[in-house]
Amino acid sequence: MAVAVSRDLTVQVLEDVNAVKLTDRQQALRAAIQRGEPKCLGVSQVMLGLMVMSYSIPLHFTELTEVVSLGVPWWSGLMFIAAGVVAIILDKHCTMKILQVCLMVSVASTVLSVVAVIIYSVDMEKNPEVPCVKTIHGNCNDKHYATRLSRGVKSSLLLFTLAQTAISAVVCFLLFRQRHSFGQYASLTQGAPSTPQTLTPPDLN
């Protein structure tokens, strides 16, 4: 904080250099993050999460496999939605604290996406499509259709999860780069008034 005293003993409190620098860097941080379009990426994550959860509903009417018993589409879909919501909030309220929260959520989303991809792949390998066995009516047995539907749904969920993994990885990269560039200003606080203030001494006469 700087103080200037004029000849008429008027004291003027000038802007703090650190406060001005913090404001400038926050504006630069917001501009840098918005160039990465976090809102668009966040909306994409929310949509993918909703699609994963809605597409998984038919799996509950087929055979019970690891994907269903572990609830993979549900916790992965909720994680995608949470990551997207935080990214949308970051676009509207850009601060270092929200950036760090968004980074942690995005890292968790990426890790869980990789875990979900592994579970989907293992499940599809362990539960292949049952060959068609003709019934007396000339149609395939019900188990064939059930396993065929199950693999089709899991293939779609696998593609959605791979897309989410890529989006989360991109968000993590962008946020980590911005955090590294602007993290040194996170400790600065606005200890001084943002506008000059004039203090007039009392009249002693």
Side-chain angles (χ1 to χ4, degrees), residues 18 47 59 61 85 90 92 159 178-180 185 200-201:
N18 287 341
M47 294 300 297
L59 292 178
F61 302 98
V85 169
L90 176 65
K92 294 183 178 180
L159 291 177
Q178 300 305 329
R179 180 179 179 273
H180 178 73
Y185 297 96
T200 304

Side-chain angles (χ1 to χ4, degrees), residues 67-87:
V67 169
V68 179
S69 60
L70 295 176
V72 177
W74 296 103
W75 52 256
S76 61
L78 290 175
M79 191 69 234
F80 301 164
I81 294 174
V85 169
V86 176

Side-chain angles (χ1 to χ4, degrees), residues 98-148:
I98 299 179
L99 186 146
Q100 292 175 352
V101 172
C102 187
L103 178 60
M104 290 187 294
V105 174
S106 298
V107 170
S109 177
T110 304
V111 174
L112 290 180
S113 298
V114 173
V115 173
V117 167
I118 295 174
I119 295 176
Y120 284 130
S121 302
V122 173
D123 184 276
M124 294 176 64
E125 182 69 23
K126 292 176 59 178
N127 300 279
E129 182 179 331
V130 175
C132 177
V133 178
K134 295 292 184 178
T135 62
I136 57 176
H137 301 289
N139 299 324
C140 297
N141 58 337
D142 293 339
K143 193 170 183 60
H144 167 74
Y145 291 115
T147 54
R148 185 176 181 180

Side-chain angles (χ1 to χ4, degrees), residues 177-192:
R177 185 176 62 181
Q178 300 305 329
R179 180 179 179 273
H180 178 73
S181 301
F182 297 95
Q184 57 181 325
Y185 297 96
S187 60
L188 292 177
T189 57
Q190 297 184 3

